[in-house]
Amino acid sequence: MTVTTETDSGPEHGERTHPEGLFEQHFAARFTADALTTLRERFRDEHIVPLRGFCPPELLRPLQEEAFGIMDEHGVARKFSFDITDGTPRQMTTVGQPVIKDHGPLIHATYFSPAVKELLGQVVGEEVFTCPYAGEHYVISRLGKSGDTHGWHWDDYTYGFILVLQAPDYRDGGFVQAVPHTSWDKQNPDVHGALLKSQVRSYAFEAGDAYVVKTDTTMHRVYPIRGETTRTIVNMTWANGADLTREITHETNDVLFGGVGE
């Protein structure tokens, strides 16, 4: 199936892909009222929930090709440890929002999709809003070398939505771990204390899956990969109403992904 495009003032060459109809049809069939009730209850308890088979099959390959092409051409290798998250490591290749906005019409359209916004609001149990800081709208990250990881951390805004485009077998790492009902004190981060206070849950994903995390109260990481394998995801940040009235900083995003411009 061909994904239609139309011209506007958005991404490069004036073309933006509009997969809205595919999202609407797919979500109506896959995320029924009963399914949404189950997802909402699970999210309330665990602060993270998988959305298995989130991506419409017709969109998966085009999204993969777009993201992989952007990563191959524009990806920047990063290796840091952040005091602000208790010295946890980040070892990955990343592409930030400005590059994706110029070269990723499908990713852009996914973030600004009314159907996606509505689905996320139904899962988390409240209205979600476009992140006020453009640098966190969407970023791409890839773990592609043995030892690559996105270490334990929290995020600044309330909700993270992660679209999985490439994932290793769980035996090779790359699965997600989360510690719900924790909090981030940037002046005195305590990863080990959070691990001792709450249960660690682990989640493996396949290409086309997605997951939603309440990232301000859920310490989370991607388990280090090993061997010859790759994990590629698009991370999208969403705010709740309270976020819109708070002063929020973006230290780790700016270092890892370049913020709104290097």
Side-chain angles (χ1 to χ4, degrees):
M1 178 176 182
T2 301
V3 180
T4 59
T5 61
E6 62 184 63
T7 300
D8 65 13
S9 58
E12 189 178 41
H13 307 308
E15 289 188 352
R16 177 179 294 173
T17 303
H18 291 274
E20 191 64 16
L22 293 175
F23 281 129
E24 291 174 352
Q25 295 170 19
H26 183 66
F27 295 166
R30 189 165 191 88
F31 301 107
T32 62
D34 287 345
L36 286 169
T37 296
T38 300
L39 290 169
R40 189 160 48 246
E41 291 173 351
R42 186 173 179 184
F43 185 80
R44 181 192 61 205
D45 294 338
E46 300 180 22
H47 287 191
I48 178 173
V49 68
L51 302 178
R52 305 293 182 188
F54 166 87
C55 189
E58 303 91 338
L59 284 178
L60 180 56
R61 179 59 67 84
L63 274 164
Q64 288 172 324
E65 291 176 349
E66 180 175 283
F68 297 170
I70 293 171
M71 177 60 72
D72 290 344
E73 185 171 352
H74 300 282
V76 178
R78 312 280 191 179
K79 187 175 183 180
F80 297 103
S81 62
F82 286 102
D83 291 341
I84 201 170
T85 56
D86 205 4
T88 54
R90 310 292 192 280
Q91 183 172 316
M92 67 187 79
T93 304
T94 69
V95 178
Q97 181 267 348
V99 172
I100 302 168
K101 184 177 180 181
D102 287 342
H103 301 284
L106 262 181
I107 295 170
H108 183 92
T110 299
Y111 183 74
F112 287 99
S113 160
V116 172
K117 179 180 184 293
E118 176 65 20
L119 177 66
L120 296 181
Q122 291 177 345
V123 170
V124 304
E126 66 174 334
E127 184 177 4
V128 299
F129 299 90
T130 300
C131 183
Y133 182 63
E136 302 225 31
H137 283 173
Y138 38 67
V139 296
I140 306 172
S141 67
R142 171 177 284 171
L143 310 183
K145 302 186 301 295
S146 190
D148 278 3
T149 183
H150 195 160
W152 290 114
H153 65 287
W154 297 263
D155 292 321
D156 296 297
Y157 291 91
T158 298
Y159 298 118
F161 168 75
I162 296 84
L163 175 59
V164 179
L165 296 178
Q166 189 176 21
D169 183 274
Y170 73 89
R171 296 173 183 84
D172 296 319
F175 55 86
V176 175
Q177 295 188 295
V179 186
H181 308 288
T182 56
S183 61
W184 185 14
D185 180 351
K186 291 186 177 183
Q187 304 306 313
N188 185 30
D190 187 5
V191 165
H192 294 137
L195 289 169
L196 291 171
K197 290 175 184 175
S198 187
Q199 179 180 359
V200 179
R201 299 179 182 272
S202 300
Y203 308 82
F205 295 95
E206 299 179 353
D209 290 343
Y211 55 101
V212 187
V213 191
K214 192 173 186 299
T215 54
D216 62 336
T217 62
T218 307
M219 189 176 74
H220 53 288
R221 75 163 179 170
V222 181
Y223 195 91
I225 65 169
R226 62 182 183 181
E228 299 297 321
T229 191
T230 304
R231 179 185 192 265
T232 305
I233 61 96
V234 180
N235 186 96
M236 303 181 180
T237 298
W238 291 85
N240 68 1
D243 290 336
L244 303 181
T245 64
R246 296 192 294 126
E247 182 177 344
I248 296 177
T249 57
H250 321 95
E251 298 95 331
T252 57
N253 173 274
D254 289 354
V255 172
L256 282 174
F257 302 101
V260 293
E262 302 250 9

